[in-house]
Amino acid sequence: MSYKTIILGAGESGLGAALLAKAKGESPFVSDLSVISNSVKKELEAKQIPFEEGKHTAEIILAGNQIIKSPGIPDSAPLIQDALRKGIPVINELEYASRFTRAKIIAITGTNGKTTTTLLTHHLLKNAGVKVGLAGNVGHSLARQVINDDKDIYVIEVSSFQLDGMFNFKADVGVLLNITPDHLDRYEYDIQNYINSKFRILQNMTADDAFIYWADDAVIGKELSNRDVAATINPISLNQREGCSHLNGNQLIIKTENENLEIPISSLPLIGKHNILNAMASIIAAAKVGINKEQIINGLKSFRNAPHRLEKVAELNGVQYINDSKATNVDAVYYALDGIEAPIIWIAGGVDKGNDYKLIEGLVKSRVKSLICLGTDNQPLTSFFDDKLETISETEDIAEAIAIAKNISNEGDTVLLSPACASFDLFKNYEHRGDRFREEVLKLKPENGNKKEVPL
């Protein structure tokens, strides 16, 4: 039997694509090189969707009319190359799902900050009473949601891998937060290929659509000077640059078509200058789809960021404990260090990805009072910072890391887990690392009955 729609990968996006294809009568077939989870198998079997696991049967896959592949599968994979040579369209779940909705789409990308910005934008709309869906790298798959398609707007976090598989997809509001080198192994170690991928957020946009971007990002600025942008541009900046929404003292000045909105920084629920930019992007995106100033401020006050992203865990004896386990590269750590004004006890380490710590050298010297290395191989960290900090400790136990931090901290300090490294030496993933940090912090007890531990 031949199948019209082939889905490669049975994760959240693959399952959603399979369910949507079945709903649209497109005879889907799911193939995954790994073992498919029991919960996914049950859903596929309930809808009578055929699947295979532990292999890709080329005869079946290359007989399909279209292939919807997981973003984790590179275009260079031999099976994908065979499909492209045969002229079989290879797309991803977001591209496929966008065919079946008339809802407006806010699409958000960038090397760092896209998850926070996506969650905040979704929250502002939902808090204002909009029927809004959350999709992409967060929330449920867009494909699953458009089966019923009962939303007026979808807010979608889009990675470069996902953008690579999107061709007719169009954002009504597109957000590009920043571009720094990342995932270059997927882009032939050529930064321009990665830049081109990120700029696919603009494809198919018209003058009726809005493009929000960080005007202070040199890479974005240079690229824009070489491109024609059809969408209406909405630059954001921390500086008072002409035409930009910007920071002015303690106020955000948000420029819209009808008026300038002044939003007090005190309304923002997030730490750091980078999160001021994320908030500006979210506020403009919300304003573009009709959310007013009062609704925006109310939404900002009630927002809580996702775990592991500058998450305030607790305050104990006047010491703040912050979980930033998601910070797996030096750029993300820069934002964390830059956003915390208190003296910092920095917990870092794990699987070093060839980090260049020069980017944060100045901030570490000025703001970090002690470094605690948490990893099986701490040499990259210790060798770089050995002569730059008075105290460096090493451990492979997160409970010991927290104990060391507690013993050397003083009232007014901040203990920051912001690793700059992958987690796979000691933990399953960054979530596991952050969860263990939170667990150990919440076990701490105040000394001598002084200040109470206050979960935040």
Side-chain angles (χ1 to χ4, degrees):
M1 180 179 178
S2 62
Y3 303 97
K4 180 178 179 182
T5 299
I6 307 297
I7 294 100
L8 300 183
E12 171 68 17
S13 65
L15 175 59
L19 295 174
L20 177 58
K22 181 70 175 183
K24 300 302 179 181
E26 294 188 355
S27 59
F29 177 79
V30 177
S31 177
D32 198 313
L33 271 180
S34 302
V35 175
I36 299 175
S37 71
N38 289 332
S39 61
V40 171
K41 287 179 184 176
K42 287 180 181 178
E43 286 203 70
L44 293 173
E45 289 166 350
K47 294 295 184 180
Q48 298 182 316
I49 298 173
F51 62 87
E52 65 178 1
E53 59 182 339
K55 61 181 179 179
H56 286 322
T57 302
E59 292 80 6
I60 296 175
I61 293 167
L62 297 178
N65 290 358
Q66 64 180 342
I67 293 174
I68 303 169
K69 76 172 179 70
S70 164
I73 302 172
D75 290 340
S76 59
L79 187 61
I80 301 303
Q81 288 297 304
D82 289 343
L84 294 172
R85 278 191 289 269
K86 286 193 67 174
I88 302 171
V90 179
I91 61 174
N92 67 22
E93 172 251 343
L94 294 176
E95 170 78 5
Y96 179 62
S98 67
R99 300 173 182 173
F100 300 100
T101 181
R102 294 183 179 179
K104 287 188 175 182
I105 290 176
I106 300 173
I108 298 166
T109 195
T111 305
N112 293 299
K114 53 185 177 293
T115 298
T116 296
T117 306
T118 301
L119 292 173
L120 178 55
T121 305
H122 174 262
H123 177 79
L124 294 179
L125 271 58
K126 185 176 181 181
N127 191 74
V130 176
K131 295 171 67 175
V132 59
L134 180 67
N137 280 357
V138 290
H140 295 296
S141 76
L142 181 64
R144 183 193 285 267
Q145 294 182 66
V146 303
I147 293 172
N148 294 323
D149 201 29
D150 58 355
K151 301 293 191 292
D152 295 323
I153 300 174
Y154 291 102
V155 182
I156 307 174
E157 178 188 337
V158 189
S159 70
S160 59
F161 296 170
Q162 289 166 319
L163 285 163
D164 290 336
M166 294 158 67
F167 304 93
N168 295 314
F169 177 96
K170 184 183 84 70
D172 297 279
V173 179
V175 179
L176 178 55
L177 295 167
N178 47 63
I179 299 178
T180 57
D182 202 9
H183 304 300
L184 293 188
D185 55 324
R186 280 281 289 262
Y187 295 100
E188 301 175 344
Y189 295 95
D190 185 342
I191 184 64
Q192 187 60 49
N193 292 337
Y194 179 61
I195 293 168
N196 292 342
S197 178
K198 286 298 188 187
F199 266 82
R200 290 173 71 89
I201 196 76
L202 282 167
Q203 64 188 355
N204 306 312
M205 294 178 74
T206 71
D208 293 329
D209 304 317
F211 176 50
I212 302 164
Y213 67 94
W214 182 24
D216 301 330
D217 187 297
V219 175
I220 295 175
K222 180 180 178 182
E223 192 65 22
L224 281 175
S225 69
N226 296 320
R227 290 176 179 261
D228 293 325
V229 178
T232 302
I233 62 169
N234 297 264
I236 59 176
S237 174
L238 291 174
N239 307 303
Q240 295 188 41
R241 298 177 56 163
E242 185 177 356
C244 291
S245 295
H246 60 271
L247 175 63
N248 182 15
N250 293 321
Q251 299 284 326
L252 300 183
I253 309 301
I254 305 298
K255 294 182 178 295
T256 67
E257 285 83 355
N258 301 320
E259 61 177 333
N260 288 348
L261 303 179
E262 294 189 11
I263 308 289
I265 287 182
S266 59
S267 299
L268 303 185
L270 301 166
I271 297 171
K273 292 179 181 177
H274 66 296
N275 276 324
I276 292 176
L277 291 164
N278 295 340
M280 277 197 277
S282 293
I283 291 166
I284 295 171
K288 289 293 180 182
V289 294
I291 309 304
N292 64 40
K293 178 180 177 179
E294 182 180 359
Q295 292 170 320
I296 287 169
I297 291 177
N298 286 338
L300 290 171
K301 289 178 179 178
S302 59
F303 177 71
R304 296 293 178 269
N305 200 6
H308 318 299
R309 295 170 179 86
L310 286 171
E311 171 194 2
K312 296 179 181 179
V313 174
E315 181 181 328
L316 180 72
N317 298 313
V319 177
Q320 290 265 19
Y321 290 80
I322 294 178
N323 168 21
D324 193 34
S325 185
K326 181 68 164 59
T328 59
N329 58 52
V330 177
D331 287 299
V333 175
Y334 179 96
Y335 292 134
L337 297 176
D338 187 51
I340 297 171
E341 296 182 359
I344 297 168
I345 297 167
W346 177 33
I347 302 175
V351 180
D352 188 286
K353 298 182 286 187
N355 290 339
D356 181 1
Y357 293 110
K358 290 181 181 177
L359 177 66
I360 57 174
E361 181 179 357
L363 278 171
V364 170
K365 285 181 178 179
S366 63
R367 302 200 176 186
V368 173
K369 60 186 290 186
S370 182
L371 168 62
I372 301 172
C373 299
L374 177 64
T376 58
D377 178 13
N378 299 312
Q379 191 275 333
L381 275 166
T382 56
S383 63
F384 186 87
F385 290 109
D386 182 55
D387 60 346
K388 301 172 180 68
L389 291 169
E390 290 187 9
T391 60
I392 297 178
S393 308
E394 296 187 62
T395 181
E396 295 183 17
D397 183 353
I398 195 158
E400 183 179 11
I402 300 301
I404 294 170
K406 180 175 183 291
N407 288 336
I408 64 177
S409 64
N410 298 312
E411 183 173 350
D413 289 348
T414 292
V415 176
L416 170 70
L417 171 67
S418 193
C421 300
S423 56
F424 304 119
D425 55 342
L426 297 174
F427 307 94
K428 297 175 184 176
N429 47 44
Y430 78 82
E431 291 99 333
H432 181 215
R433 176 170 58 193
D435 289 341
R436 289 287 296 115
F437 176 84
R438 188 188 309 107
E439 289 168 8
E440 293 301 327
V441 167
L442 294 178
K443 288 179 184 177
L444 297 177
K445 302 297 180 185
E447 296 175 354
N448 303 323
N450 291 336
K451 293 190 178 182
K452 292 183 179 180
E453 176 187 356
V454 183
L456 299 169

